[in-house]
Amino acid sequence: MKLHEHILFWLDSSITIGDGGLLWNIRYLGGLLFLPCALVSGIWIDDATIRNASIITGLVLCVPWTALVIHRYRKKKESWVEPSGFVERNGGY
């Protein structure tokens, strides 16, 4: 598998369709790329150039990433089949 396939597989497995829905996925997965930029911005708070560059970089990365999360959420929701709760074979559990 290529790197982008691994990332999409991880993203698809991290997306939840249940109670939180799209807002939970946007908050959790959408803000995931902004956290390192916010950390850099917090460490070098005195240097305005580094602080502004890290915030701008975080926003530039977060917008397409959040669009990808929304796209994958909609794609997963279209193919979602509600579990019945009854399984004929439980794998020994």
Side-chain angles (χ1 to χ4, degrees), residues 29-78:
L29 295 171
L32 194 62
L33 290 181
F34 192 71
L35 289 177
C37 298
L39 182 67
V40 167
S41 176
I43 291 173
W44 285 283
I45 197 163
D46 294 333
D47 191 358
T49 306
I50 294 175
R51 184 181 66 235
N52 293 339
S54 68
I55 289 173
I56 290 170
T57 303
L59 291 175
V60 166
L61 291 175
C62 277
V63 170
W65 176 255
T66 305
L68 178 67
V69 169
I70 292 170
H71 172 72
R72 299 302 281 194
Y73 174 81
R74 288 182 180 161
K75 191 173 182 180
K76 186 172 183 178
K77 190 168 183 171
E78 287 175 0

Side-chain angles (χ1 to χ4, degrees), residues 19-38:
D19 297 331
L22 182 61
L23 290 178
W24 169 254
N25 290 312
I26 289 175
R27 274 187 270 163
Y28 169 65
L29 295 171
L32 194 62
L33 290 181
F34 192 71
L35 289 177
C37 298

